[in-house]
Amino acid sequence: MQPTHHQPASRHVAVIGAGAGGLVAARELRREGHKVVVFERGDQVGGTWVYTPNVESDPIGLDPNRTRVHSSMYQSLRTNLPREAMGFRDYPFVAIEEDEERDPRRYPGHREVLLYLKDFAIEFGVSEIVRFETEVVFVGLVEGGKWKVKSKSKRGEVVEDEIFDAVVVCNGHHTEPCVAQIPGINTWKGKQIHSHNYRTPEPFRDQVVILIGSATSALDISRDIAGVAKEVHIASRSVADETIEKQPGYNNMWLHSMIKSVQEDGSVLFRNGSVVLADVILHCTGYKFHFPFLETNGIVTVDDNRVGPLYKHVFPPDLAPSLSFVGLPWKVAPFPMFEFQSKWIAGILSNRIALPSREEMMEDVKAFYSLLEASGTPKRYTHNIADYQFGYDDWLAAECGCPAFEEWRKQMYFVAIENLFARPETYKDEWEDHHLVVILIGGAASSADISRELAGVAKEVHIASRSVADEAIGKQPSYDNMWLHSMIKSAHDDGSVAFQDGSVVVADIILHCTGYKYDFPFLETNGIVTVDDNRVGPLYKHVFPPALAPSLSFVGLPWKVVPFPQFELQSKWIAGLLSNRIALPSKEEMMEDIKAFYSLLEASGIPKRYTHNLGDCQFEYNDWLAALCGCPVSEEWRKKMYLEVSKNRHAQPETYRDEWEDDHLVLQAHEDFKKYTLNGVTKK
């Protein structure tokens, strides 16, 4: 992240479109304190995920005066990524099993995605700032670097021009059809349709259909149509010219190389030499980027489907940061990428993140274009980032100061894409992504929980712990796929991991359940208080730095404790000291106490990073605090209950939360609770 030195800014921002990109952009902009208006031409959120049986008046989509339909959803469409990989980072796309109206499948239908987006919009209050049935007809620069946005309602009334500090374009790119250029097509007598206007297979019953394309929509639609059509012939530019193959599992579907030409009599000649007399050519050939409302005086253009010049597919250098685009890259896991782009835009507009200079951005764009050219990548593939999407996402995450893409999400994406082509008929309902081998590092409570949770889905789980002997390796009771090891010795390029016990495992993921660092990025004490190897110090009794006491104090640093009662006792002590009801020792006495404590740790061989681990002496510490504050010491039942839980957590990790034998302690606790008062009234 590149923080700026400017004051935080709150800007008035127009977001064009309330699909997935527009919704998450609006949320992130609001989180950064911006005032946001979302313009949506439809009557609900969801963008392209709003299915309609309606189609355009020109089925191939070339007539500029045709009636327009935004969505390209076909009735049978299901996602080609599992829901876990699709969802936004902090709003997982989980199945809602208890609602009969929802689709709990891992690869759900389009309606389930729409409901998820609606839930998201409600959860984060985005729905309330969307102007529905309002189409943006013009966006252009005005004086002062601001933007004029002109819109009209569904009834055709022109709304007064509005001025915004910034515009974020999120209008999607699955609406303006791109069709194949085929010799002779202008005189071909058959019917042509673009997949944008495909809804159901019924209109193709008993017909000979030639389908052009090899991406996911082509795979889906060809199989949809094959159930009713006489013949389906798939033409693909990505296969060799001599290709002609009958598709497995189908008696009426063939894969061909690309079309060479078409004839007036309806015949279609393929590059493989075969000829088919066809009724329909169906173009599953993708879409063009299209921004009919946007006027930038030629600064931003769409040339052979390259939107540019754009820095990192988002900002035109000459208009940054007041104009930006969300969602242009394709062949990606879309929703999380929209989220990263939106966080970046929002942070830049608030001055929390800095962009490079205009010149630096232009140099970066030119270098990117040169790289594409040198690698032979056509201009129209500028925004195809399939090969490096996760590197791009992780770069955005680093700029925003947030965690990178989760490893499991990357792996899940790759497995889904591999299966899509390897077994297109079954991959959505028969999946094998429980295959990952996970090495989990850690031996504390979170690792115990997470390892058991993972074991339910992973192929293998190997727990590496520095607290077990070097030769330790043992299968965990009740699990066929989980082992406990000594610590990792080394990891290698081929994915293998060697443990100190001598075993070697080829792993997909290493999961660090290795705790946390103390972090006080806001605190400046001129070096008086430091964090050194996770020791916050010098601190008297884990609370007061002697040189700054009692005006600076810390609550909650000790760990491996019963936290809430300890926070309470530390807080009572601090409050009593600040009111002069309790006295601290002198600075010199506190420093001597700290030095003695550090010496004791060193003599016991306890690493510095365990300075605040009070597991074995927490109750002695709590009772010392209680005595200083003049309040009762920790109840005996509470101490015993803690020790009993700790013992059972290790002895019976599967059941200790639900099967326990401390009813006598619970009774003692409730007897004590009767004595406690709230506002002077006994709490029953």
Side-chain angles (χ1 to χ4, degrees):
M1 184 172 67
Q2 304 174 57
T4 69
H5 300 292
H6 303 294
Q7 289 296 314
S10 175
R11 304 184 194 274
H12 192 203
V13 186
V15 173
I16 315 298
L23 293 176
V24 75
R27 185 193 68 173
E28 295 301 331
L29 288 162
R30 293 180 87 196
R31 281 180 165 177
E32 286 278 348
H34 303 296
K35 181 182 177 184
V36 184
V37 175
V38 182
F39 294 88
E40 171 53 48
R41 64 186 297 176
D43 61 1
Q44 58 186 303
V45 302
T48 197
W49 293 97
V50 178
Y51 173 78
T52 174
N54 300 330
V55 295
E56 297 182 344
S57 55
D58 176 12
I60 198 169
L62 296 180
D63 182 359
N65 299 314
R66 68 191 184 275
T67 56
R68 302 265 181 169
V69 174
H70 181 72
S71 180
S72 297
M73 289 289 117
Y74 38 95
Q75 191 178 72
S76 63
L77 184 140
R78 292 171 62 185
T79 65
N80 55 25
L81 289 176
R83 65 196 308 145
E84 297 92 341
M86 280 188 68
F88 295 120
R89 295 275 293 256
D90 58 358
Y91 194 72
F93 190 9
V94 295
I96 304 176
E97 301 278 357
E98 63 275 11
D99 188 342
E100 293 181 0
E101 296 298 311
R102 302 299 287 257
D103 181 352
R105 294 175 296 179
R106 291 195 67 213
Y107 290 79
H110 53 77
R111 181 177 176 274
E112 176 71 4
V113 182
L114 177 61
L115 292 173
Y116 167 73
L117 293 174
K118 288 183 172 181
D119 291 343
F120 176 89
I122 292 168
E123 176 72 21
F124 295 102
V126 178
S127 297
E128 64 201 35
I129 59 169
V130 180
R131 293 186 191 169
F132 293 108
E133 298 186 325
T134 304
E135 180 182 0
V136 171
V137 295
F138 176 80
V139 173
L141 273 171
V142 294
E143 213 172 304
K146 294 183 183 289
W147 293 87
K148 177 193 289 186
V149 175
K150 184 179 289 188
S151 59
K152 67 177 182 180
S153 70
K154 189 176 182 181
R155 294 180 296 278
E157 306 148 357
V158 175
V159 177
E160 278 190 41
D161 299 343
E162 296 174 85
I163 304 300
F164 290 88
D165 299 313
V167 173
V168 184
V169 179
C170 310
N171 68 324
H173 52 83
H174 294 97
T175 297
E176 190 70 13
C178 179
V179 299
Q181 300 303 307
I182 303 169
I185 197 67
N186 292 334
T187 58
W188 189 68
K189 70 176 187 179
K191 180 182 178 182
Q192 295 185 72
I193 180 175
H194 190 276
S195 58
H196 175 63
N197 290 301
Y198 174 81
R199 296 294 182 266
T200 65
E202 193 55 37
F204 303 92
R205 181 170 293 279
D206 299 325
Q207 295 192 331
V208 175
V209 181
I210 294 178
L211 183 148
I212 305 173
S214 57
T216 51
S217 64
L219 286 171
D220 282 351
I221 294 171
S222 63
R223 283 152 177 79
D224 220 8
I225 289 176
V228 300
K230 183 179 179 181
E231 296 177 9
V232 178
H233 298 267
I234 304 167
S236 172
R237 64 157 55 98
S238 61
V239 300
D241 282 352
E242 63 277 4
T243 301
I244 177 168
E245 299 171 354
K246 201 163 195 177
Q247 293 300 87
Y250 291 89
N251 292 321
N252 65 339
M253 186 158 63
W254 292 263
L255 175 65
H256 298 257
S257 50
M258 193 51 189
I259 295 171
K260 185 176 183 181
S261 64
V262 297
Q263 311 299 320
E264 289 184 36
D265 64 356
S267 61
V268 176
L269 173 64
F270 294 90
R271 289 177 182 165
N272 58 25
S274 61
V275 178
V276 172
L277 189 64
D279 300 297
V280 182
I281 292 178
L282 199 165
H283 298 254
C284 295
T285 42
Y287 298 88
K288 301 173 185 175
F289 295 106
H290 189 53
F291 314 103
F293 51 83
L294 185 61
E295 177 52 65
T296 64
N297 300 319
I299 294 174
V300 179
T301 62
V302 182
D303 177 20
D304 192 15
N305 227 29
R306 169 187 285 173
V307 185
L310 291 184
Y311 177 62
K312 306 300 184 186
H313 306 279
V314 173
F315 288 107
D318 284 341
L319 299 172
S322 68
L323 180 65
S324 56
F325 296 79
V326 168
L328 297 190
W330 46 283
K331 285 204 172 180
V332 297
F335 293 5
M337 185 195 73
F338 299 166
E339 190 173 11
F340 283 131
Q341 289 180 322
S342 299
K343 285 180 183 292
W344 188 39
I345 293 165
I348 286 167
L349 288 174
S350 69
N351 292 334
R352 183 175 61 83
I353 306 171
L355 274 174
S357 69
R358 175 196 170 279
E359 293 71 24
E360 289 172 317
M361 287 191 283
M362 282 304 301
E363 283 302 313
D364 186 276
V365 174
K366 289 175 184 174
F368 173 52
Y369 290 171
S370 296
L371 182 63
L372 293 178
E373 190 174 352
S375 61
T377 304
K379 185 182 287 186
R380 65 181 179 274
Y381 289 166
T382 295
H383 304 292
N384 175 353
I385 67 170
D387 293 339
Y388 63 94
Q389 65 165 306
F390 295 119
Y392 174 72
D393 290 336
D394 289 349
W395 180 88
L396 288 170
E399 288 289 298
C400 299
C402 60
F405 224 74
E406 307 95 331
E407 191 61 33
W408 61 262
R409 201 188 295 259
K410 297 177 186 178
Q411 296 283 344
M412 195 174 280
Y413 175 89
F414 291 130
V415 169
I417 298 303
E418 178 186 340
N419 289 339
L420 183 154
F421 293 103
R423 40 190 184 88
E425 312 300 329
T426 60
Y427 81 99
K428 290 177 179 173
D429 296 303
E430 298 174 9
W431 22 268
E432 298 174 359
D433 60 354
H434 297 333
H435 72 291
L436 297 182
V437 175
V438 182
I439 294 177
L440 183 148
I441 305 174
S446 64
S447 66
D449 283 350
I450 294 170
S451 63
R452 281 153 178 84
E453 197 163 31
L454 285 172
V457 298
K459 182 179 180 182
E460 297 177 10
V461 177
H462 298 265
I463 305 166
S465 173
R466 64 159 52 96
S467 61
V468 301
D470 282 353
E471 64 278 2
I473 175 171
K475 204 165 198 177
Q476 294 298 85
S478 304
Y479 290 90
D480 291 326
N481 64 338
M482 185 159 62
W483 292 263
L484 176 65
H485 299 257
S486 52
M487 195 50 191
I488 292 172
K489 184 178 182 181
S490 59
H492 306 277
D493 289 347
D494 62 358
S496 63
V497 176
F499 296 89
Q500 289 174 357
D501 56 35
S503 60
V504 177
V505 171
V506 177
D508 299 290
I509 297 172
I510 293 178
L511 177 59
H512 298 255
C513 295
T514 43
Y516 300 87
K517 300 175 184 175
Y518 295 104
D519 189 37
F520 313 103
F522 51 83
L523 185 61
E524 177 52 66
T525 63
N526 298 319
I528 294 174
V529 179
T530 62
V531 181
D532 178 20
D533 194 15
N534 227 29
R535 169 187 286 174
V536 185
L539 292 185
Y540 177 61
K541 305 301 185 186
H542 308 279
V543 174
F544 289 106
L548 300 172
S551 65
L552 178 65
S553 55
F554 296 78
V555 169
L557 297 190
W559 46 283
K560 281 205 173 180
V561 298
V562 182
F564 294 1
Q566 189 182 91
F567 299 166
E568 186 178 14
L569 289 167
Q570 288 180 324
S571 300
K572 284 180 182 291
W573 186 36
I574 293 165
L577 285 165
L578 290 173
S579 68
N580 291 329
R581 184 175 62 81
I582 306 171
L584 271 175
S586 68
K587 172 181 176 294
E588 292 72 25
E589 289 172 316
M590 288 191 283
M591 283 303 303
E592 283 303 313
D593 185 277
I594 294 167
K595 288 176 184 175
F597 173 52
Y598 289 172
S599 296
L600 180 62
L601 293 178
E602 190 174 353
S604 306
I606 295 173
K608 186 183 288 186
R609 63 181 179 275
Y610 289 167
T611 296
H612 305 292
N613 177 353
L614 292 194
D616 293 338
C617 58
Q618 63 170 304
F619 293 114
E620 181 183 341
Y621 173 74
N622 291 349
D623 290 350
W624 179 87
L625 287 170
L628 276 185
C629 299
C631 59
V633 298
S634 298
E635 307 93 333
E636 198 60 33
W637 60 261
R638 196 186 299 266
K639 297 177 184 178
K640 288 181 179 177
M641 195 175 280
Y642 173 85
L643 296 172
E644 190 75 14
V645 168
S646 298
K647 180 180 72 173
N648 290 341
R649 184 171 66 81
H650 295 287
Q652 43 178 91
E654 310 301 326
T655 60
Y656 80 98
R657 288 186 171 108
D658 298 304
E659 298 175 10
W660 23 266
E661 298 177 1
D662 60 354
D663 288 349
H664 63 295
L665 299 177
V666 174
L667 289 173
Q668 292 175 32
H670 282 271
E671 284 301 311
D672 270 355
F673 293 162
K674 293 176 183 177
K675 303 173 189 175
Y676 301 151
T677 61
L678 183 64
N679 297 327
V681 179
T682 302
K683 186 178 178 183
K684 300 295 184 185

